[in-house]
Amino acid sequence: MKSLKLPAILFIALISNFSFAQDSNIIAPNGFDKPQEGISKGEVKKISYPSTTVGKDRVANIYFPPGYVATQEYPVLYLLHGIGGDEREWLDQGHPEIILDNLYAENKVKPMIIVMPNGRAMKNDRAEGNIFGEEQVKAFATFEQDLMVDLIPFIEKNYKVKSGVENRAVAGLSMGGGQSLNFGLNHPEDFAWIGSFSPAPNTKQGEGLLPKPEATKANLKLLFLSCGDQDNLMNVSNRTHDFLNEQGIEHIYRIIPDHYHNFEYWKNELYYFAQLIF
């Protein structure tokens, strides 16, 4: 079994068939998500890209790291939202730009571009009306094509990004956590880093989740799965963890004590996931 070479401090439970082990140091330090004075700051820009999947231009937000140089190549993290969110959910409630700025100031994270798209791939992609409706839920699955066929090619054509599976990551919360598992494991030639924070029931099961096990084992560098122990969707994480173990897929499984299905928990997990990728 290959070693993931991860800091022990980040584990609560996990890899492949290793036994459960709890580590008390799994909560981000105070101030990790608060703006700090006297440090370099990244920049967030809103972009528009043509979507052949949806048949209209769609929008996304991009976080560029402090000291970003347009001629320099960067790896890319695609960061996905939940069922009630859109391309602004992470920015408005999770503030990855602040979390990453602070991590850069401490030299704890590799320079990367973070793309925050709208994972609801339909013409009216706003989080309004019955967000749990059949059409709205289906749009989260349709986003797989929008991501692979439209958004990623647009990003790689218009920005300097590093090539190769090892330079592309996907992560998300809740519905976006399910998307990250579904898309990342369905495209092991395209994503070497997968993060799923309290994945929702849209998470596939069995062969539907892991259609290419050998390619996954060959290319996967990190599968980071976690959930708060007070989350009512924890059964999805547990079943996914058990299935990955059965299939021999190495992964981190973190169960965070006294945490729920909310941004307090999701921000905490982004803080740790970002330090492990690339």
Side-chain angles (χ1 to χ4, degrees):
M1 179 184 297
K2 65 182 179 182
S3 170
L4 295 184
K5 298 181 180 179
L6 302 174
I9 196 172
L10 299 180
F11 285 80
I12 179 165
L14 107 91
I15 299 181
S16 191
N17 295 312
F18 282 32
S19 61
F20 182 89
Q22 184 161 327
D23 188 312
S24 61
N25 198 346
I26 57 171
I27 304 301
N30 289 336
F32 81 100
D33 58 345
K34 307 299 181 187
Q36 305 293 325
E37 297 297 329
I39 67 171
S40 297
K41 304 293 178 68
E43 182 180 7
V44 175
K45 290 185 178 180
K46 182 178 179 179
I47 65 161
S48 175
Y49 67 96
S51 171
T52 59
T53 301
V54 177
K56 61 174 287 188
D57 286 356
R58 308 193 72 226
V59 297
N61 288 291
I62 303 182
Y63 165 80
F64 299 96
Y68 172 77
V69 178
T71 56
Q72 180 178 326
E73 294 183 338
Y74 295 84
V76 183
L77 164 61
Y78 292 86
L79 187 60
L80 311 181
H81 60 79
I83 198 167
D86 57 24
E87 71 280 354
R88 286 215 54 92
E89 183 178 46
W90 269 105
L91 291 173
D92 292 339
Q93 299 184 62
H95 295 291
E97 76 284 6
I98 295 174
I99 295 171
L100 270 291
D101 284 349
N102 293 341
L103 284 171
Y104 284 121
E106 298 180 27
N107 295 313
K108 290 184 176 180
V109 67
K110 298 287 181 65
M112 70 183 82
I113 293 170
I114 300 179
V115 179
M116 291 161 277
N118 185 320
R120 188 184 295 99
M122 55 191 299
K123 282 191 164 58
N124 179 8
D125 58 10
R126 298 302 91 192
E128 56 190 21
N130 181 12
I131 60 172
F132 298 98
E134 182 178 355
E135 183 181 5
Q136 285 81 351
V137 170
K138 182 181 179 181
F140 279 83
T142 304
F143 180 66
E144 180 173 1
Q145 178 173 323
D146 184 68
L147 175 66
M148 304 305 300
V149 174
D150 300 310
L151 180 56
I152 289 177
F154 177 87
I155 294 296
E156 297 187 349
K157 178 181 178 181
N158 289 277
Y159 300 95
K160 286 281 189 178
V161 300
K162 291 185 176 180
S163 61
V165 60
E166 70 276 9
N167 292 303
R168 192 182 295 137
V170 61
L173 63 89
S174 192
M175 202 73 166
Q179 287 177 311
S180 297
L181 288 168
N182 295 344
F183 305 166
L185 292 173
N186 193 44
H187 298 276
E189 304 89 351
D190 297 292
F191 299 100
W193 315 85
I194 302 171
S196 182
F197 317 146
S198 60
N202 64 320
T203 305
K204 294 180 180 179
Q205 299 185 55
E207 186 178 348
L209 180 63
L210 189 67
K212 306 172 185 177
E214 295 310 312
T216 295
K217 291 176 183 178
N219 294 332
L220 186 67
K221 292 186 176 295
L222 173 67
L223 197 165
F224 180 107
L225 173 66
S226 78
C227 196
D229 70 347
Q230 300 301 308
D231 194 316
N232 61 8
L233 294 182
M234 190 172 171
N235 64 303
V236 178
S237 295
N238 283 337
R239 82 178 188 214
T240 303
H241 166 60
D242 291 342
F243 174 72
L244 293 171
N245 273 347
E246 292 168 4
Q247 300 302 311
I249 303 298
E250 295 183 355
H251 64 287
I252 291 175
Y253 186 35
R254 290 164 49 95
I255 302 171
I256 311 303
D258 302 316
H259 276 66
Y260 297 79
H261 200 77
N262 58 28
F263 266 99
E264 179 184 357
Y265 153 75
W266 294 322
K267 288 190 293 184
N268 189 81
E269 296 310 273
L270 177 62
Y271 172 85
Y272 285 108
F273 178 74
Q275 295 179 64
L276 297 177
I277 59 178
F278 306 133

